[in-house]
Amino acid sequence: MAIRYHCRHCETEVGRLPFGSAEEVRTLHRLADGEAVDFITEEEDGEVTVQCICEHCQQSLDRFPDYYALQKWLQ
Ligand SMILES: [Zn+2]
């Protein structure tokens, strides 16, 4: 099983781990940031996708927080 980190704003693949399970990711994120747990999805092939935010979007978010708040509502 693999874990894929995916930017939820621009769909860019941020990174990939060639091993791990959804449960391991949940445990890690629960320790780091409980909110992130909602963005973990398990695909039919067993691969785990974690919706996160890439560096580029994080910078835009810091600059235009209102725009991203609006986009989140529209999705
Ligand atoms: Zn992005």
Side-chain angles (χ1 to χ4, degrees):
M1 282 200 287
I3 297 173
R4 205 161 60 95
Y5 283 80
H6 199 248
C7 178
R8 66 176 177 267
H9 294 290
C10 69
E11 307 283 303
T12 298
E13 189 174 295
V14 180
R16 179 186 280 269
L17 292 173
F19 55 85
S21 67
E23 197 45 49
E24 285 170 336
V25 178
R26 284 196 188 94
T27 304
L28 281 173
H29 282 263
R30 203 176 290 133
L31 293 172
D33 178 5
E35 195 188 356
V37 173
D38 294 337
F39 300 110
I40 298 168
T41 52
E42 287 171 77
E43 311 296 339
E44 280 179 26
D45 60 5
E47 197 162 276
V48 178
T49 303
V50 182
Q51 304 279 325
C52 59
I53 186 162
C54 71
E55 211 173 303
H56 173 76
C57 289
Q58 183 63 60
Q59 285 172 2
S60 302
L61 187 63
D62 290 341
R63 251 176 280 164
F64 311 109
D66 293 345
Y67 171 72
Y68 276 92
L70 182 67
Q71 197 183 45
K72 204 174 171 184
W73 277 105
L74 293 173
Q75 277 171 352

